[in-house]
Amino acid sequence: GALVVRESPALTGGLGRAPDKKQFRALPAWKQQAVSELCDGYAASDDDKSLEGIISTNALPRGNKADETVLCILASRFNHSCAPNAEYLWVEDLKMEEVRIVGDVA
């Protein structure tokens, strides 16, 4: 399908592992802010947001390596659906996440 987004991950990690706060602190300030603005599905309010909650809510699998994850600022903002019109795709050669259209988009 047609390419909607292609981006490098802001953070990488693994399922069941604590977030790498050193990796987060190494990001430029604007990228730290963008990560912090992502949804934390485990927080009762914005004041309760945590890096762990943001990653748990938004990280995507890194291709077939289901135990490795990537956090992409734009791709993480796409809604999930039981009847999707787009799909996520990790491109290992580019080390980038893509979102591609697979159905009609309104």
Side-chain angles (χ1 to χ4, degrees):
L3 179 66
V4 178
V5 170
R6 177 183 291 144
E7 70 176 311
S8 298
L11 299 170
T12 59
L15 292 176
R17 294 195 310 243
D20 184 344
K21 292 181 181 177
K22 184 177 179 182
Q23 187 183 161
F24 176 76
R25 287 191 302 269
L27 295 173
W30 70 268
K31 201 171 266 193
Q32 287 181 25
Q33 181 68 31
V35 168
S36 297
E37 290 172 355
L38 291 172
C39 180
D40 178 345
Y42 301 92
S45 70
D46 280 349
D47 293 336
D48 296 330
K49 288 171 82 170
S50 68
L51 183 58
E52 184 173 31
I54 290 168
I55 291 172
S56 294
T57 303
N58 297 286
L60 300 167
R62 182 177 171 170
N64 293 331
K65 301 174 183 176
D67 60 333
E68 294 182 30
T69 60
V70 295
L71 182 70
C72 297
I73 294 167
L74 293 176
S76 293
R77 293 188 174 278
F78 282 79
N79 288 330
H80 302 278
S81 171
C82 292
N85 58 8
E87 68 180 2
Y88 299 102
L89 173 68
W90 176 254
V91 182
E92 186 64 34
D93 292 345
L94 300 175
K95 306 284 191 250
M96 298 184 110
E97 188 74 28
E98 291 183 349
V99 178
R100 292 189 169 268
I101 295 173
V102 294
D104 292 335
V105 176

